[in-house]
Amino acid sequence: MSITPQNPVAVAQSIIASFQTLPTIPAAATRAIQLLNGPDPDLSEVADIILADQVIAARVIRIINSPLYKLLHEVESVKQALIYLGPQKVFEIILTSCFLELTDSRTLAGIRPQSCWEHSFGVALVARNLAELSGVVKPEMAYVSGILHDVGEVILMHYRQDQFREAVQRSVERELDLHDAEREIFGTTHCEIGALLAAQWHFPELLTQVIMHHHADQMELKSPLIRVVQLADQICSDVRLKCSMDVEVPGVGAGVYGAHLPALEKQLAQLGVTDMDAFRKSLAQMVDHVKAAVQAIYP
Ligand SMILES: [Fe+2]
Ligand SMILES: [Fe+2]
């Protein structure tokens, strides 16, 4: 009798069903993401909605007052923060803080959660930059998608620590992509897990699709948002901003591409980004910003 491999979505469903408590993200964050996905979002309205949540507000104020933002005066209220930093920055901080709520500064199962956060933040910044340079998608949605694209990884890391560590180890030892190692070990990947949760959290369909398909090789009619996030993801992995084990892997240095330079530049050109020198320069700045942010948030 041959064993038929199980459908990865069904496996992901049964993994999620086995959780004793379901991971949640604040309802206010979901509302903000939905608003942001609508036509012509008013960012100060978005910030207002979210900041009615006291826990989020306190966290946001803490991040704003961290060395990252180098403000001259300590900010005590969200209203002040909006004035100093503008709604766009405040929204990004809010989203970042919601994501941090899912992660944890402790080293989990031999994984450095801050490396995963570095990766997500890096992908968010690069995706937004690509959105701005190419004009194919809204920069805010590119940012949100970058922060959340690997949310399934964070969930597996917390709820299936041992197996997740095994997946990371296997991906390092056999030079596999992490999602391929996950598929071998779990029978599913962080993409299916993340997308199912995104649907439960009522994320916009566009964002759920990014989470589901950001590692798809061949996909007819891949949406521009998926292409932007996929490319940003590959660029970040190439500059060593990726989820890693508790030992820090020496990086190749900001602004230097890894082994996939020609393929990445071809894809950048297809997206309409042609000034590679300018892009590399901004990439170096983004990598520095990510490192500084992680230092500020995970002291
Ligand atoms: Fe991923
Ligand atoms: Fe990723």
Side-chain angles (χ1 to χ4, degrees):
M1 192 180 78
S2 67
I3 299 166
T4 21
Q6 267 200 298
N7 170 351
V9 176
V11 177
Q13 254 153 357
S14 66
I15 290 179
I16 292 172
S18 74
F19 296 161
Q20 287 188 338
T21 48
L22 260 193
T24 56
I25 71 158
T30 302
R31 285 219 305 284
I33 291 169
Q34 287 165 341
L35 249 183
L36 207 66
N37 187 48
D40 217 3
D42 176 349
L43 286 170
S44 47
E45 189 190 343
V46 171
D48 276 351
I49 285 180
I50 263 203
L51 294 166
D53 181 316
Q54 289 301 304
V55 178
I56 301 182
R59 200 179 268 256
V60 166
I61 289 171
R62 187 174 68 78
I63 296 178
I64 289 173
N65 286 322
S66 77
L68 185 60
Y69 290 98
K70 302 183 188 83
L71 295 181
L72 290 176
H73 305 284
E74 185 142 316
V75 163
E76 282 163 6
S77 73
V78 169
K79 281 261 176 298
Q80 274 180 324
L82 282 167
I83 295 164
Y84 280 129
L85 294 166
Q88 171 79 40
K89 264 262 121 48
V90 171
F91 178 74
E92 290 176 10
I93 296 168
I94 291 164
L95 195 75
T96 306
S97 80
C98 291
F99 185 76
L100 281 176
E101 208 140 302
L102 287 169
T103 67
D104 194 311
S105 59
R106 282 174 303 148
T107 297
L108 282 169
I111 309 292
R112 293 167 60 239
Q114 62 268 54
S115 72
C116 302
W117 192 77
E118 264 179 22
H119 172 74
S120 299
F121 192 38
V123 174
L125 292 180
V126 174
R128 185 179 59 197
N129 189 249
L130 294 180
E132 282 162 357
L133 292 172
S134 65
V136 296
V137 286
K138 279 200 287 188
E140 302 87 29
M141 263 323 267
Y143 184 90
V144 173
S145 304
I147 289 279
L148 293 166
H149 76 288
D150 277 334
V151 69
E153 238 167 52
V154 179
I155 300 302
L156 284 174
M157 190 195 308
H158 278 77
Y159 287 79
R160 288 287 183 275
Q161 289 189 26
D162 293 343
Q163 283 171 295
F164 186 73
R165 180 181 46 211
E166 210 183 312
V168 176
Q169 240 156 9
R170 188 176 294 194
S171 77
V172 172
E173 282 163 15
R174 298 197 356 221
E175 290 182 33
L176 288 175
D177 283 329
L178 181 57
H179 59 276
D180 288 326
E182 286 170 352
R183 197 176 294 114
E184 288 183 9
I185 287 168
F186 292 102
T188 189
T189 74
H190 64 273
C191 305
E192 286 84 4
I193 299 271
L196 286 171
L197 286 169
Q200 290 195 11
W201 292 332
H202 305 291
F203 283 180
E205 179 59 24
L206 210 59
L207 178 53
T208 307
Q209 292 295 320
V210 171
I211 295 172
M212 184 70 173
H213 298 296
H214 69 275
H215 291 297
D217 278 339
Q218 299 284 339
M219 199 179 118
E220 295 288 303
L221 307 170
K222 230 183 248 180
S223 77
L225 189 61
I226 296 176
R227 282 167 48 212
V228 163
V229 173
Q230 196 165 51
L231 190 48
D233 190 37
Q234 291 166 355
I235 290 169
C236 285
S237 295
D238 230 29
V239 293
R240 307 273 177 109
L241 287 180
K242 59 180 177 182
C243 213
S244 63
M245 308 292 287
D246 48 5
V247 188
E248 200 158 353
V249 183
V252 287
V256 182
Y257 287 172
H260 305 100
L261 170 71
L264 290 174
E265 294 209 334
K266 209 167 128 202
Q267 287 189 62
L268 282 166
Q270 280 167 359
L271 210 63
V273 181
T274 46
D275 189 345
M276 297 303 165
D277 284 341
F279 178 73
R280 261 179 248 173
K281 215 166 144 197
S282 59
L283 180 62
Q285 285 164 355
M286 288 185 279
V287 173
D288 286 346
H289 183 66
V290 167
K291 299 273 181 199
V294 171
Q295 291 273 310
I297 292 165
Y298 290 108

